[in-house]
Amino acid sequence: MTTTAREIHLASRPDGWPTPDNFRLVEVPVPTPGPGQILVRNTVMSVDPYMRGRMNDVKSYVAPFRLDAPLDGGAVGEVVASEADGVKPGDLVLHGLGWRDYAVLDATAARVVDPAQAPATAYLGALGLTGQTAYAGLVDVAGMKPGETVFVSAAAGAVGSLAGQIAKLKGAGRVIGSAGSAAKVDRLRALGFDAAFNYKDRPVGEALKEAAPDGIDVYFDNVGGDHLEAAISSMRPHGRAAICGMIAQYNSTEPPAAPRNLALLIGKRLTLRGFLVGDHAGIRDQFVADMSGWLRSGEIQSDETVVDGLENAPGAFLGLLRGENLGKMLVRI
Amino acid sequence: MTTTAREIHLASRPDGWPTPDNFRLVEVPVPTPGPGQILVRNTVMSVDPYMRGRMNDVKSYVAPFRLDAPLDGGAVGEVVASEADGVKPGDLVLHGLGWRDYAVLDATAARVVDPAQAPATAYLGALGLTGQTAYAGLVDVAGMKPGETVFVSAAAGAVGSLAGQIAKLKGAGRVIGSAGSAAKVDRLRALGFDAAFNYKDRPVGEALKEAAPDGIDVYFDNVGGDHLEAAISSMRPHGRAAICGMIAQYNSTEPPAAPRNLALLIGKRLTLRGFLVGDHAGIRDQFVADMSGWLRSGEIQSDETVVDGLENAPGAFLGLLRGENLGKMLVRI
C-alpha cells in the first residue's frame, strides 16, 4: 500500500469567482486510524454549490473551510483499515471527509452502504442528501399538492433535476424548469418536465409567464435574484417558495438587485422559506422508500457528470459554479 | 332630516404620493333603502394604508377604487331607516361603506355592534380588523412563542402598536418597535415596548442590532424595504416574518432597492409570509375574547388619532401616509 496521501487544501479565500489559485494539492503521509477509527480510501467525492459559501470566512450554518487545511464534503470510499467494531476492511462507507484520497475518521461518523442496492455515486446523489434535499423542499417546505404547477430553477442541476421529477411523481399538474443551455433544456424535456426554457435567451419573467400562463403554485429556488423575482410575479395566491440555494449570487461582490417585488407577498399571501436538509430528518424513511422504488423502476433518472482524478476536483468545482454539469457533479478518485 | 348627502370620490389616480387633487367632495341626494336594506348615518370611518393600493388601477386581492365613484372602507354609523328584519333605527352598525355620510346597504353586509361593550371607534380599531390583523400576524402567521424576541415596524401605527402589546401579553421575552419620531418612540416605551428607536435617526440595521444584540425571532413587518433587510439580518435561526404591509413603497415610483440579503433565508432557515386578515377568520373568537378582556383590564391601550369632518378625510388619509397618526387614524363625521 502507498504511504503517501493527497489532499486539496484551501490556499486562499476567493473574492468573487474562485480560481484554481485558491486551491493547493498537498501530499501527506497516509494517516493511521486510532481506536474506534477507520481508514478509508475514497473512490468518489461530491462537489456542491454550498461549498462556495464555506470558502468565505463568515459565520454561517456550517463552519468555513480553514486556510491551509483540507476542504471537506460528501464522499464514498472503501475501508482499508479498521480499529472499530462493526466496520471491517472492504466495507463501502459514506462520510464527510472528501477532497482527499485517504481519510481517517471515527467509525460513528461514517455510514456503511450497500453497493448491491445502488451504485456508490447514488449515495452522494439521488439516494443521498442531494435527493433528500429535493424531496424535503417539495414535500416538507413547499407542501406541494397534487395538481399544482411547480417551477424549478437550475433544473438540470443535481437537486433541480430530482426536484422536477419528484414533483411529477408526486402528482404536480405541470412542472417547468429553467436551465442555462439548449442542451440542458432538451434534457429537461426528456426527463418529463412539461416546459423548460434557457434563462440566458431572454428575461426569466417573460419566459416563465409563457411557460405558465396561469401562474405557478410552488417555486423550488436554486438561483435567487431575477429567478426569484419572476417566480413571485408569477405566483398564484397562497404560492410557496422553497429556497434551497441562490447560486446567482454566491460569487457576486455586489448585493443582488432583485427581487424588488416582495410587496406582492401580502396581497397574494405568499410564503418564502429557506431550508437546510438537515432540519428534515423526519422524512428520511419516506424519502428512501420512495426514491429507492423510483430508481429501481426507472421512473427517476439521476444524471451525473463525473470528473476523474482528485487533482481535478478544484476544476470540477469551478465548472459546477459555471454550470458545466448535467445533474450531480462528482469526482472519481 | 337633511336630503343631501356627501361622498368623497376618487377624482384621479395618483402617480407616487397622492395629493388632495386626487379626491373630490360630491353632494348627492340621501339614498333610499330598498327591501332588505338599511340607511346608515355614518359617525366614524377608518383610513388605512391599504387604501393607497386601491387607488392604483391594478389587479390585487381587492378591487381598485373606481374613478368618479365614492371610495369605501370601514365605518360605523347609526341606522336611520330600515327595510330589513332584525335591524332597527337607532342600531349601531359596522360596515364597509365609509367615505360618505349616508350609506345604503344590504343589512346582511352590516354587523350590529353594542356601544355598551366598547366605543364605536373600537370596532374599527382594537376590536376590529385592525386588532385582528395584529393578532393573526403574531399568532397564526409568525407563530410567536413565549420567550421570543419580536420586532415590530411602524410600531406606533394602528396595527403595530397593538402587535407589540399583544406580543408582550402573549409572553414575548423582548419587544422592540421602530417609529418615525421621538414622540412616537416615547409612546412605545410607555406602552411597554422593551426598546424603541426612531428609524429616521440612523440606519435601521444599526439601531436594531443595538436594541436586539442577541437577534430577533419574529418580525412583524408594516414597512418593507430597509426595515425588512435589517430584520432578516438580525434574525436568529428559524426566524419568521409576518408581512402585513410595506408602507415604505406604497407611494414609490421606483422598485425598492432592499432587501438584498435574502440569501440569509437559507442558512438561517427563515420564513417570510405575507398575509391578509381575511384568511384568518378561524382565530376570530379567540381574538375577540382575548382583546375584550385586555381592553377591559386596561392591559392594552388603543391609541386613536381623530380628524373631524368628512371633508377632511382625504387630508387624514394623506397624513396617515406621512405617519402623522399615533395609533388608529379615524375621521369623525
Side-chain angles (χ1 to χ4, degrees), chain B residues 188-210:
Chain B
L188 294 183
R189 295 207 178 98
L191 287 175
F193 283 69
D194 299 286
F197 61 86
N198 180 350
Y199 70 87
K200 293 176 179 167
D201 282 349
R202 58 193 177 128
V204 183
E206 197 181 296
L208 181 57
K209 281 203 165 62
E210 190 176 299

Side-chain angles (χ1 to χ4, degrees), chain A residues 60-61 228 238 243-246 249-250 255-260 262-263 265-267 269-276 279, chain B residues 60-61 228 238 243-246 249-250 255-257 259-260 262-263 265-267 269-276 279:
Chain A
S60 182
Y61 61 95
L228 180 54
H238 305 288
I243 314 230
C244 178
M246 293 198 175
Q249 62 205 67
Y250 291 167
R260 296 156 299 182
L262 291 183
L265 265 60
I266 304 165
R269 294 87 108 196
L270 307 181
T271 301
L272 310 185
R273 177 175 290 168
F275 75 102
L276 297 175
D279 291 330
Chain B
S60 182
Y61 61 96
L228 180 54
H238 305 289
I243 311 220
C244 177
M246 291 199 177
Q249 62 205 65
Y250 292 167
R260 296 157 300 180
L262 291 183
L265 264 61
I266 304 165
R269 295 90 106 194
L270 308 181
T271 301
L272 311 185
R273 178 174 290 167
F275 75 102
L276 297 175
D279 291 329

